[in-house]
Amino acid sequence: QKGKVSADLAGQQVDIALTTTGTRTGQRIQLRVVQESIQTRLEDLGLDKKLLARLTDLNMDGPGIILVAARGRYGQSSTLFSLLAKHDAFTQQVVTFEAKAASELPNVTQNEYGEPDQLLPILTRVMRQEPDVVLIDECKNADAAEKILDVAEEKPVILGVRASDSMTAMAKWVQTVGDPGKALKPLKAVVSQVLVRKLCPDCKEGYQPDPALLAKLNLTSENIRSLYRPPTGPRLDDKGRPLVDKDGNPIPCPTCRGTGYFGRTGVFELLEMTDEIRQMVGAGGSLAQIKAVCRKNDMQYLQQNALTKVIRGITSIPEVVRVTQAKKKA
């Protein structure tokens, strides 16, 4: 048998998948933490104040498309639904189109389309009812993309894309549409994200970082006196002695159970579309040229945003390296 339960672990709600199987010695049960439960408050996802304010403004700024990019199980649903929740579902008709509904949304009309080729007919039928705000979890074919472009001329559209960063997401959308000019005309922004584990607040350990490593990460060593990491030794009591049980075994941190991490938070980058970027993409500009324009517009990339969380003691350098390497392989 299979099932799912939600549990409150140290003040955070998590989803747990349960599987039971019969054996010769009795029932065997497996519990697996699937993910933190889907969040629907943009303020709780880990965006810094400046990025939060700008993304909120773009989200509420009338018709057009916002692409939300992430790899699988990296928090994309939370960001999609959090952007949608900023729109008042009690005064507006808010609809979603999902292959399979990930979570129940209050006062939102959720449509399941199943297979990618079924998105267009369901989208066409529901749009006759003139909804005010539209969320689509993913679009994989040109016909559905053409319809989405029509919708975005008059309504806000929040669209998911499976991609590791904003540039890749924009390229995938252009490829799906087949025409850069048409694809980018209604595009307001691309927000992409990864998730990093947060250091345990009760046992994280401060240390003096290596100046060579800071230089490699483009961090200024003069302004950084200490960073944090998981503990490198056993927990100590008030007298500096290792905490052990009656059998002499080390007693792990009760919050993180000795892992050094507890919970996750988002790391984000926001690519705002400008006429200059649209013209450059339409003219076949290189990735280096597009990135140069983005840097000129003060765009902060995923790794840069992650390192700000390292400096604030939220996560560690090894954790940033882990998700960055995973991104390169994606």
Side-chain angles (χ1 to χ4, degrees), residues 75-318:
Q76 184 189 50
S77 293
S78 288
T79 302
L80 285 168
F81 294 157
S82 295
L83 289 169
L84 190 70
K86 285 291 183 182
H87 297 271
D88 190 349
F90 293 94
T91 61
Q92 296 177 296
Q93 185 183 357
V94 179
V95 300
T96 71
F97 299 87
E98 306 165 69
K100 183 178 180 180
S103 179
E104 291 187 12
L105 304 175
N107 213 43
V108 172
T109 303
Q110 295 178 263
N111 301 277
E112 291 187 349
Y113 60 84
E115 297 300 322
D117 60 356
Q118 293 302 308
L119 173 59
L120 178 58
I122 294 178
L123 184 61
T124 301
R125 172 173 55 80
V126 174
M127 291 311 299
R128 296 193 187 105
Q129 301 170 17
E130 293 293 325
D132 299 298
V133 183
V134 178
L135 181 148
I136 304 164
D137 63 352
E138 194 172 13
C139 175
K140 294 184 177 181
N141 60 68
D143 290 339
E146 189 75 27
K147 181 64 178 179
I148 291 170
L149 291 172
D150 291 340
V151 173
E153 291 182 1
E154 299 180 354
K155 305 176 190 303
V157 175
I158 305 165
L159 174 62
V161 179
R162 288 297 186 190
S164 58
D165 57 57
S166 298
M167 298 292 177
T168 303
M170 180 175 64
K172 287 187 71 172
W173 173 238
V174 170
Q175 184 179 25
T176 301
V177 173
D179 183 326
K182 291 173 64 176
L184 300 183
K185 181 180 178 181
L187 187 60
K188 296 189 287 186
V190 185
V191 57
S192 65
Q193 68 185 83
V194 295
L195 293 177
V196 295
R197 294 176 297 170
K198 295 191 293 184
L199 286 165
C200 175
D202 295 328
C203 69
K204 65 182 180 181
E205 175 182 281
Y207 71 99
Q208 180 64 43
D210 180 5
L213 177 60
L214 294 178
K216 187 176 180 180
L217 296 171
N218 294 319
L219 298 176
T220 306
S221 58
E222 292 82 2
N223 298 329
I224 301 175
R225 301 301 178 189
S226 64
L227 296 178
Y228 290 87
R229 62 189 176 195
T232 55
R235 296 173 64 222
L236 305 176
D237 61 19
D238 295 338
K239 296 182 179 180
R241 298 173 301 190
L243 282 169
V244 295
D245 59 22
K246 62 181 181 179
D247 297 321
N249 299 313
I251 299 176
C253 169
T255 301
C256 68
R257 305 306 300 170
T259 65
Y261 295 94
F262 185 78
R264 296 191 296 176
T265 189
V267 171
F268 296 87
E269 69 180 21
L270 179 64
L271 169 59
E272 290 192 52
M273 296 305 300
T274 64
D275 290 339
E276 186 176 7
I277 293 176
R278 291 186 180 94
Q279 292 170 4
M280 187 167 292
V281 173
S286 68
L287 181 61
Q289 290 174 315
I290 298 170
K291 285 187 172 182
V293 174
C294 293
R295 282 194 295 270
K296 184 180 70 174
N297 295 336
D298 296 324
M299 176 180 170
Q300 188 181 63
Y301 294 110
L302 284 170
Q303 187 181 52
Q304 294 173 295
N305 190 251
L307 290 174
T308 64
K309 288 179 165 57
V310 170
I311 295 170
R312 292 164 56 193
I314 296 172
T315 191
S316 67
I317 288 178

